[in-house]
Amino acid sequence: MKAAPGRIRIIGGYLRNSRLNVPDLPGLRPTAERVRETLFNWLAPTIAGVRALDLCAGTGALGIEALSRGADSVQFVESDASVADALRGNLIRLKASGGEVARLDAMRFLQRAAQPFELVFLDPPFAAQLWTPLAQKLEEGGWLANATQIYVESPREQVPMLPVNWLLHREGHAGEVRFALYRRT
């Protein structure tokens, strides 16, 4: 389900059919088009005007898709300098306003003063096993609004340990990937 390195497509909203330049780096795993399509169909009734956090942003495909479909703003967090530069370049080239890129490790970013978000994309590199520690930091650090929706992408056979007040709303599988949308209560 890995998109070919080089370019991936935004599938909906005002940036529909725009292409994102993607660096060819080991471990960079853009979320597949059909997974993004399913996710954003789930989010369609609630995405307009939200503040979103794309933690471990990578290509930024999830956050840019959110901006394209009406999110008010997206905070992208990416630790790799070349990937963060490519993401900034895509935002500028597409004239996608409302996106800000922080070149920081996700855990270090979450040590900053918190700002609550209504939508969070939690899709860390699979090998890093960061779902549980990042989820705990998000929950305990004041990063989540009362009814935040949290998208979590993980290996198909691995359901991360998440805070008990994150209730599974919907989930699916594509190839070796499990994708799920949780609602914070």
Side-chain angles (χ1 to χ4, degrees), residues 2 5 22-30 58-59 78 80 82-83 125-127:
K2 183 179 180 204
V22 178
D24 187 9
L25 296 173
L28 188 61
R29 180 189 38 77
T59 65
E78 175 53 49
D80 184 278
S82 62
V83 176
F126 285 4

Side-chain angles (χ1 to χ4, degrees), residues 122-183:
L122 182 56
D123 180 17
F126 285 4
Q129 300 285 319
L130 290 172
W131 298 277
T132 300
L134 289 173
Q136 289 172 339
K137 283 276 196 197
L138 285 164
E139 184 61 40
E140 296 166 1
W143 291 98
L144 306 175
N146 287 336
T148 296
Q149 295 186 93
I150 305 108
Y151 170 77
V152 178
E153 193 169 310
S154 61
R156 184 180 184 112
E157 302 303 323
Q158 184 172 348
V159 178
M161 297 253 323
L162 301 171
V164 294
N165 61 325
W166 291 17
L167 302 181
L168 181 62
H169 176 62
R170 295 194 171 181
E171 71 178 320
H173 299 92
E176 297 302 312
V177 172
R178 174 186 181 267
F179 56 98
L181 185 62
Y182 293 84
R183 290 192 173 155

Side-chain angles (χ1 to χ4, degrees), residues 2-14:
K2 183 179 180 204
R7 295 175 75 86
I8 57 174
R9 181 174 70 100
I10 297 300
I11 53 175
Y14 79 92

Side-chain angles (χ1 to χ4, degrees), residues 8-20 31-41 61-62 64-66 68-69:
I8 57 174
R9 181 174 70 100
I10 297 300
I11 53 175
Y14 79 92
L15 294 172
R16 183 183 182 145
N17 291 324
S18 297
R19 301 286 175 171
L20 301 180
T31 300
E33 277 189 29
R34 81 175 182 160
V35 171
R36 282 186 283 124
E37 183 172 11
T38 299
L39 169 63
F40 284 94
N41 285 340
L62 291 169
I64 293 172
E65 193 81 52
S68 180
R69 293 170 183 250

